[in-house]
Amino acid sequence: MNAFSLAIKNLIRKPGRTAALTLLTAFLALSVFGGSLVVSSLQRGLHSLESRLGADIIVLPASAQSKVSFEKLLLQGTTGAFYMDASALDAVREVEGVEIAAPQTFLASLKADCCAVKVQVIGMDQETDFVVQPWIAQSYSRSLGDMDVAVGCKVEADVGETLRIYDENCHVVARLAPTGTGLDTAVYCNMDTMNHLLAAAEQKGVSHKITSDSEETISAVYVKVKDGYDIDQVNSKLNGHVRKATAVRTRSMLTQVSDSLAGVSRTVSLLIAAVWVLALIILLIAFAMMAAERRREFAVLRLVGTSRRGLCRLVLTESALCSLAGGLIGIGAAAAVVFPFTTLIETQLGLPYLTPDARTMLLLGALALGVTVLVGALASAWAALRLSRTDPGATLREGA
Amino acid sequence: MILRAENISKRYFRRTGQANYFEAVKPLSLALEPGSLTLLMGRSGGGKTTLLHMLSGLLTPTEGKVWLGDTDLYALPDAQLSRLRGEQIGVVPQGRSAVDTLTVLENVLLPGQLCGRPAKQETALYWLEALEIGNLADARPAALSGGELRRMAIARVLTQDPQVILADEPTGDLDDASTRLVLSILQKAAHEQGKTVFVVTHENDAREYADRVYRMDGGSLS
Ligand SMILES: Nc1ncnc2c1ncn2[C@@H]1O[C@H](COP(=O)(O)OP(=O)(O)OP(=O)(O)O)[C@@H](O)[C@H]1O
Ligand SMILES: [Mg+2]
């Protein structure tokens, strides 16, 4: 019998002790894996929001409501509709330092007979758009034709299906990659399609006109600033030059999100650290108690020829096996808790949330497992070291 | 192999009268010859167990050396000393000495397996039979009586088959018949196999099995 099979026997034949250690480490792994999964999902969410907003400045109608409802649309996926005259676009382009100005027009479909689903429809100008099209290109290699739509990953419609919006049939040609933001619940089309839909909506009594004589309306202009120009300066010039519109730096919109994200991340990280320290202390106590209980057993092992190193190896093997099993159980439990409740977590946090890909997840799992086994090893190594310092003869005399 | 103690002593830090230490074993020298059984008797607390532990490489003396043949035990690094304990020095300690997660048979086979020189199962079963606990081979130590545990520890030493056997009150919990059985087995090990045997005991009757008898009182040998 070598140290390994002795360790196995010790574990199997003391099931209570083994279960307690395993559960303890499972708890540690659960919190580390679950926590880091949430944090990394939030970070990915922010990252994808950043790239989806890939503009420096966004020009919105000057109404008090428009900025709020734009942010809600972005983060929570609520529908919104606000308009300004299309002439604003020309005004934006006149400002020095503006490299690209890409208009978008929004329309909210209704939860009524005429529409299959209540969604945000976003029309973009294919000539100038630099925000939506790269995203569409990830899943659809051609550009959107008339009455074609690309749908966000959370819209219930498959490629090849027809989506009815204001009694108009739209062909779903692409499903977009998830962003973890409100944009996942939107439907995208080109400007011609949008104008068609706006007219159809008009007939249903949903007006988009600001005044009776305005021909064309838009909802937002995405602005890319030329290299070498100060974004803040361009922003204030836009605010001065474009009438009835507000220019907002996307950064300032994002800082709000990233601030609360940092807050959540910090809380979760702190929680992980606290659990980690707590688990380390509990494990240290558990191993110290176990070592005290097994003093005589260990002295007997020394008596029959086990070296100090051999004893440490035995204790480490036992703890490694326990924490490996515990770690796997904990990670499994965390996965079982976090994945089914992804939607709940998203809505509760109100922040962009994007579950990482399989590779990252595996990495996080390995990390959590490593941390767990490390803590188990640290705690047991400390116990083993303390144990092996005394002469076995001294221990054998005690309570003989 | 000859086991020699050279001026060994053991002091414990403990307040006793004027001094702040207590000398459990006063400096003494002792030679245990192969092929002979040496008995150590004496009052409780006299330092017998302390001496036996120092002789078996389990307790570092405060001063002095212990030689097994030409090997200075306490000059060896831990790994080598441990190996020596597993192969050459068999100890029956005072009190319980079972690994509770192993069966009686596994306990008896343990020393050889730990040092990579496994003993035959038949040998182990033979000694368990000889000590009249063969029926307990598959039991767990928790189920055994004090006397049965004692005999298990003796069977472990005999199965280990070392050059030197040191037994601390091996007949402590035993009845007269078992006591005679154990002592005669230990005597045979010395006389027929040439082992160095050292036995601590309170039994006066044990004298008839011994080649030498020491007394120990107050940490001194006489
Ligand atoms: N760790 C220790 N600290 C302080 N004193 C100790 C320690 N170990 C042993 N002693 C003392 O050393 C003396 C000898 O102890 P030892 O166990 O060697 O006696 P013994 O002769 O084996 O007794 P018994 O026949 O009862 O087994 C005792 O008085 C004991 O109190
Ligand atoms: Mg004693």
Side-chain angles (χ1 to χ4, degrees):
Chain A
M1 184 168 359
N2 52 29
F4 187 75
S5 61
L6 182 59
I8 297 277
K9 280 193 176 129
N10 286 341
L11 291 178
I12 292 174
R13 294 181 186 172
K14 286 272 184 202
R17 186 172 71 199
T18 308
L21 283 181
T22 306
L23 260 168
L24 216 61
T25 48
F27 179 63
L28 174 63
L30 186 141
S31 59
V32 171
F33 183 61
S36 51
L37 202 61
V38 170
V39 169
S40 83
S41 296
L42 287 170
Q43 263 153 7
R44 255 174 67 93
L46 177 69
H47 192 74
S48 99
L49 181 63
E50 259 167 12
S51 62
R52 285 287 63 81
L53 275 184
D56 298 317
I57 296 167
I58 293 175
V59 181
L60 297 167
S63 74
Q65 265 298 246
S66 63
K67 187 171 174 253
V68 176
S69 77
F70 182 75
E71 279 172 6
K72 273 175 100 176
L73 184 160
L74 215 56
L75 298 179
Q76 286 152 28
T78 53
T79 55
F82 39 83
Y83 301 99
M84 56 189 168
D85 199 276
S87 62
L89 179 62
D90 298 322
V92 168
R93 286 179 175 147
E94 282 160 19
V95 171
E96 198 194 338
V98 172
E99 184 173 2
I100 309 175
Q104 284 189 353
T105 308
F106 300 160
L107 174 66
S109 72
L110 297 177
K111 200 179 179 84
D113 283 350
C114 63
C115 308
V117 279
K118 180 170 164 67
V119 286
Q120 179 78 16
V121 188
I122 297 176
M124 44 95 197
D125 173 39
Q126 278 169 311
E127 301 281 298
T128 54
D129 173 83
F130 58 93
V131 178
V132 180
Q133 290 192 113
W135 184 24
I136 294 177
Q138 287 173 18
S139 42
Y140 187 62
S141 53
R142 291 185 288 156
S143 61
L144 295 180
D146 282 347
M147 298 316 282
D148 281 350
V149 291
V151 297
C153 69
K154 287 199 185 144
V155 178
E156 275 173 43
D158 277 323
V159 174
E161 280 181 21
T162 310
L163 204 59
R164 211 155 40 78
I165 299 170
Y166 293 109
D167 279 336
E168 298 291 325
N169 287 331
C170 301
H171 314 293
V172 178
V173 296
R175 279 180 74 82
L176 298 170
T179 65
T181 67
L183 300 176
D184 287 341
T185 57
V187 166
Y188 301 83
C189 61
N190 66 24
M191 273 304 185
D192 289 341
T193 311
M194 177 48 83
N195 288 331
H196 201 85
L197 291 175
L198 284 172
E202 187 83 40
Q203 290 195 341
K204 305 274 172 204
V206 181
S207 178
H208 61 282
K209 300 217 163 119
I210 322 160
T211 55
S212 54
D213 60 327
S214 66
E215 270 309 299
E216 260 184 89
T217 53
I218 54 173
S219 301
V221 182
Y222 284 65
V223 175
K224 190 176 199 144
V225 173
K226 264 187 206 150
D227 276 348
Y229 280 86
D230 183 67
I231 299 177
D232 274 326
Q233 270 175 19
V234 177
N235 194 61
S236 53
K237 269 194 229 157
L238 281 168
N239 273 324
H241 186 72
V242 186
R243 286 178 50 233
K244 292 186 187 161
T246 335
V248 186
R249 283 201 60 174
T250 43
R251 171 87 75 66
S252 75
M253 220 176 298
L254 286 174
T255 39
Q256 230 177 348
V257 179
S258 60
D259 277 357
S260 50
L261 183 87
V264 174
S265 290
R266 208 178 310 118
T267 313
V268 175
S269 306
L270 231 74
L271 231 61
I272 297 176
V275 169
W276 209 85
V277 170
L278 207 71
L280 182 65
I281 292 171
I282 294 174
L283 275 173
L284 277 172
I285 294 172
F287 274 104
M289 269 165 61
M290 177 214 75
E293 180 207 309
R294 298 176 69 183
R295 271 176 79 86
R296 194 166 180 85
E297 177 192 336
F298 290 146
V300 169
L301 285 173
R302 298 272 283 130
L303 170 85
V304 296
T306 307
S307 63
R308 223 173 268 165
R309 274 185 63 177
L311 198 62
C312 290
R313 203 178 309 136
L314 176 74
V315 174
L316 279 177
T317 308
E318 284 184 27
S319 90
L321 288 172
C322 272
S323 45
L324 211 64
L328 289 173
I329 292 171
I331 289 168
V337 170
V338 172
F339 294 134
F341 294 108
T342 298
T343 334
L344 187 76
I345 297 172
E346 261 179 75
T347 46
Q348 282 298 308
L349 292 175
L351 287 169
Y353 186 94
L354 197 58
T355 309
D357 56 279
R359 241 194 62 211
T360 317
M361 214 113 76
L362 236 70
L363 215 75
L364 284 178
L367 192 84
L369 199 65
V371 165
T372 310
V373 173
L374 186 76
V375 171
L378 268 171
S380 67
W382 180 71
L385 222 72
R386 264 173 39 116
L387 260 176
S388 61
R389 268 209 305 260
T390 34
D391 274 334
T395 314
L396 282 169
R397 248 190 42 86
E398 291 170 8
Chain B
M1 223 182 288
I2 188 163
L3 183 65
R4 285 189 303 120
E6 199 179 286
N7 276 315
I8 55 168
S9 64
K10 186 71 189 181
R11 281 199 289 267
Y12 290 113
F13 287 97
R14 174 173 105 179
R15 204 156 279 288
T16 27
Q18 313 289 67
N20 62 350
Y21 63 84
F22 171 73
E23 204 156 38
V25 172
K26 301 197 168 117
L28 60 84
S29 296
L30 177 72
L32 303 175
E33 304 285 343
S36 76
L37 190 155
T38 308
L39 217 59
L40 180 62
M41 304 184 75
R43 301 281 305 276
S44 180
K48 304 182 296 297
T49 299
T50 308
L51 175 61
L52 182 133
H53 282 163
M54 289 194 289
L55 289 172
S56 31
L58 289 167
L59 186 69
T60 316
T62 310
E63 258 155 17
K65 285 181 176 161
V66 177
W67 298 87
L68 177 66
D70 325 315
T71 318
D72 179 354
L73 287 189
Y74 293 99
L76 292 177
D78 177 71
Q80 280 178 46
L81 178 57
S82 300
R83 190 168 184 84
L84 213 59
R85 273 202 304 266
E87 291 178 348
Q88 306 289 1
I89 307 170
V91 182
V92 179
Q94 198 172 1
R96 284 179 61 89
S97 65
V99 176
D100 288 328
T101 46
L102 301 179
T103 65
V104 168
L105 181 62
E106 286 169 337
N107 263 286
V108 169
L109 288 168
L110 192 59
Q113 280 167 333
L114 284 174
C115 68
R117 266 195 349 175
K120 284 205 189 75
Q121 188 156 321
E122 295 96 85
T123 316
L125 288 170
Y126 168 82
W127 285 119
L128 287 173
E129 283 301 338
L131 290 160
E132 298 170 338
I133 48 170
N135 55 326
L136 295 172
D138 294 322
R140 292 275 206 98
L144 269 59
S145 76
E148 287 163 344
L149 281 171
R150 218 91 268 282
R151 281 177 281 162
M152 185 204 83
I154 297 164
R156 181 173 62 203
V157 164
L158 294 167
T159 306
Q160 182 187 357
D161 194 25
Q163 297 281 334
V164 181
I165 295 177
L166 302 115
D168 198 349
E169 300 186 28
T171 58
D173 307 299
L174 302 182
D175 58 78
D176 289 348
S178 302
T179 299
R180 281 195 296 277
L181 175 69
V182 167
L183 287 170
S184 69
I185 289 176
L186 289 174
Q187 190 186 39
K188 261 194 219 155
H191 292 173
E192 291 174 17
Q193 294 175 281
K195 295 189 194 303
T196 308
V197 183
F198 183 72
V199 178
V200 172
T201 185
H202 289 300
E203 312 273 346
N204 255 314
D205 299 347
R207 289 168 174 273
E208 61 187 89
Y209 296 89
D211 300 296
R212 267 218 76 158
V213 181
Y214 287 102
R215 273 199 68 82
M216 191 168 198
D217 281 302
S220 321
L221 216 53
S222 59

